[in-house]
Amino acid sequence: MGVESSNDVQGADHLLHRLYEIQLKYGYISKEVMLCLSKELQLPITQVEGVVDFYSFFYRTPRGRYHLLFSHCTSCGDLSLMQRCCEVVGISAGETRSDGLVSIDSTSCIGMCDQGPALLINQLPIVNLDDARIDQLVLLMEQQTPICDWPSDWFTVQEKVCRAGLLLHDTLEVGAGLRAALRQGREALLQSITDSGLRGRGGAGFSAGMKWRFCREAVGEAHYVICNADEGEPGTFKDRMLLREHADTLFEGMTIGGYVIGAEKGFLYLRGEYRYLLSHLQQCLVMRRQQGLLGSSILGEAFNFDIEIVVGAGAYICGEESALIESLEQKRGVPRVRPPFPVTSGYLGQPTIVNNVETLVAATHIALHGGAWFAAHGTASSKGSKILSISGDCARPGVYEYDFGLTIAQMLEDCGATDTQAVQIGGPSGRLIAAKSFDRTIAFDDLATGGSMMIYGGQRNMLNVVQNFAHFFAHESCGFCTPCRVGTQLMKNGVDKIATGHGTAYDMDELKRLSSMVKRRSHCGLGQTAPNPILNAMESFPEAFIGVLTHHEYEPYFDLDRSLNEARRLTGRDDAEAHLS
Amino acid sequence: MNRSITVIEIDGQAVPFDEGQTIMDAAMAAGIYIPHLCHKPGLTPHGSCKLCTVDVDGRSVSSCTMPAVNGMKVSNNTPALMEVRKSITQMLFVEGNHLCPSCEKTGDCTLQAVAYHLGMLDGHYPQFYPKRAVDASHPEILLDRDRCILCALCVRAGREVDGKEIFAITGRGIDATLSIHSESGLLGDSDLSVDDLAAHICPVGAILIKDEGYEVPIGRRTFDLHCIAEPGLEPVILRKGDHTDA
């Protein structure tokens, strides 16, 4: 049957990697190139096109030799800087200048929230942007200075661990966790992981011990370990720090997982925004192979395991584990129907564990120190510690590690946040918490979170925050199911209508009804959480909406002046005479 | 061997099922209609249109993909679920360009029939008016993407029944689109033949056979004579008006 190919593909020949190379070389991916590639890789042309059109970092039309993507995140984004850049360069966002030198656009959060505003230039992050840096940057581009000759400190991503706890207060000796694991043997180790009470750190909180046991017991031709390093939730960057500072501990956790479930192969799925970490991670893998910690007969035991890194290309949905697996299989990142779950039918239909970076780092520590050591920390339902990414309106943004059970108030005090009106716990897909609830705690049975903590001070317009998130989800919906594909667009339009002063009380009711439906009826976690910011904000900050409503009973969506946008664009006019009002 | 009977409950009615059947399979076998658009018995369930959404013990699931489990209590024909399905149908209408009075498929269109069944009187949501390409390159088959609802029935029919790679869904989010597996991207250059199931399975007027427009007059078409909820209608729908109704 001519079904989509799902061969196990090695490194460089992975469709995502080949497309990245082509994008880098030509600045775009032409139909001709796609046809050649589809023949060479023996994939249907529709699969190649499908992937090109699905991932944000692939383009069908030429981008500039300098391609700038400004983060559109409430913590590491500032689109007024993009606007300034566009004006100086002389193009609009989304365009490529006619001389092919530069193109500018916005992108979803790039994970630099503790050192924003930030952008990606040709996939490299530039942090701590301000007007002066934008002006310098434009000058360097106009002079066609190669990026490698730009000031190196612009590209230096600082890893600020502001508070180290259980896992971060020491760096483990390379190989120590793995040696301890092999000494214990599979069954004892699995028992230790289970006893530790370790639950998934991505936010869903499934027991790591149970996941590993289900996978180990599942029958298959091969088993696989996947590390989900597609840290795409706006406001989170703790995995970036772990990947940079604790890569050995992470790879060791993957190896331990492979040892327990009987896998010989592991994948690290790295988000495209973190491509700048790739060489560091590859180097770390090379070292581990040389030290006998990866490859055949690891540490002299009858255990073979190796790790491959696959880099994404700009798709938040690939953080959903089954979409991630689809992406590994060189397809569009569309979440699968479940059941079956990855533990029985994952990568190539084989038993697979998918774990968060932080979970795997914790597993290495548990292998070394034991389950009881871990379980002695945290609360009854939530053992151990949680690493938080704290950003937004506070004096000391950065990575903070706490035992589970801390209050939001404590966290705010520690990071120097004063006059806080709200915290977005767990990013846009999480929960918006207002000041009256700051006594609530970080724990699976209270506020479960993947670790994104976006702080909003008193001066913030919460409606604009909600608007930002509504645009984010509409942009990131994969389009598979009707409620999310259409619903995220309708929610975006509804919030925009209210935020631009055209909303009525009827529109607010409509938005609420729609949001509830999308939340309950969508296929996967994206659609099921996309309405959260709207619903939470309507409940906690109703005045942000009500204050800007018009007092008509009904105001149509149709806006005569806006409908002339296309005509204005085509004629190049934007003067007063070209507007109705 | 003495096999114990496995049963689920749909709106209080006991419905037997065999191991491996989904809620939809069991309902269809029992003559219970659960609205659906992307599902067709015999093809791998897709679970994307979400019209077959039911509540199982308070949880929302797609009945076409959810395996039946003994003792499951399923809510199907409730006012709340009919309202949800109506909203989903309205979403499908407004995201495309569905102009029933001028569409050749009218009366034979499952989307239209479902809309009538659910009591849909308008699109409710603002129209998106997308710009989508028409492909008339095939001598015998027309592709009008304005009416495509991305149900992927043609994709699966091609792969699973016709044994051909013809259609695929590409793009992301609201830009998801039905693409053709051919060098030019045109239907005329694909392997699609007028005898393929993929050419006939479209539930809406996106894939039409040329030269047979209006062979069955309006007023005598499938859903002029039948309600979508009638049991055993699937083969009639696939034959498109070619039925002995008198």
Side-chain angles (χ1 to χ4, degrees), chain A residues 369-381:
Chain A
H369 300 301
W373 165 82
F374 191 78
H377 294 262
T379 70
S381 73

Side-chain angles (χ1 to χ4, degrees), chain A residues 1-2 4 31 39 45 54 56 314 332 475-478 480-482 485 489 510 520-521 523 557, chain B residues 46 48-50 53 55 58 60 65 87 91 95 124 126 131 159 165 169-174 181 183:
Chain A
M1 274 195 312
E4 290 188 15
K31 181 74 188 253
K39 288 198 182 99
I45 178 65
F54 191 87
S56 293
R332 299 158 76 233
H475 176 67
E476 298 294 350
S477 170
C478 82
F480 173 74
C481 77
T482 315
R485 180 181 67 244
Q489 294 292 326
E510 268 294 294
R520 188 152 153 72
R521 306 298 172 180
H523 175 69
Y557 264 88
Chain B
H46 202 234
S48 64
C49 77
K50 298 295 167 197
T53 293
D55 287 335
S60 180
T65 57
S87 295
M91 286 178 166
E95 73 162 334
H124 186 77
K131 288 181 181 133
R159 286 178 191 161
E165 186 71 25
I169 308 286
T170 59
R172 181 167 101 189
I174 201 64
H181 178 63
E183 291 209 357

Side-chain angles (χ1 to χ4, degrees), chain B residues 179-217:
Chain B
S179 288
I180 310 298
H181 178 63
S182 69
E183 291 209 357
S184 61
L186 293 173
L187 200 57
D189 296 328
S190 75
D191 292 337
L192 184 64
S193 131
V194 76
D195 304 320
D196 290 331
L197 181 63
H200 295 270
I201 202 166
C202 183
V204 292
I207 302 171
L208 293 171
I209 309 298
K210 294 180 178 176
D211 294 333
E212 44 174 70
Y214 298 98
E215 270 185 5
V216 179

Side-chain angles (χ1 to χ4, degrees), chain A residues 333-345:
Chain A
V334 174
R336 292 177 177 176
V337 168
R338 301 188 300 175
F341 291 90
V343 284
T344 58
S345 180

Side-chain angles (χ1 to χ4, degrees), chain A residues 1-44:
Chain A
M1 274 195 312
V3 293
E4 290 188 15
S5 162
S6 54
N7 298 326
D8 183 1
V9 182
Q10 296 296 315
D13 258 347
H14 195 285
L15 180 57
L16 287 177
H17 297 170
R18 291 296 297 274
L19 290 173
Y20 169 75
E21 292 299 330
I22 293 165
Q23 176 69 46
L24 194 67
K25 188 170 173 188
Y26 301 106
Y28 77 116
I29 303 168
S30 67
K31 181 74 188 253
E32 290 69 33
V33 169
M34 284 190 257
L35 282 166
C36 291
L37 197 61
S38 90
K39 288 198 182 99
E40 188 197 328
L41 300 179
Q42 296 185 323
L43 298 172

Side-chain angles (χ1 to χ4, degrees), chain A residues 568-580:
Chain A
R568 280 191 289 265
R569 195 172 51 77
L570 289 171
T571 54
R573 281 185 59 183
D574 201 21
D575 55 291
E577 293 284 295
H579 285 271
L580 288 167

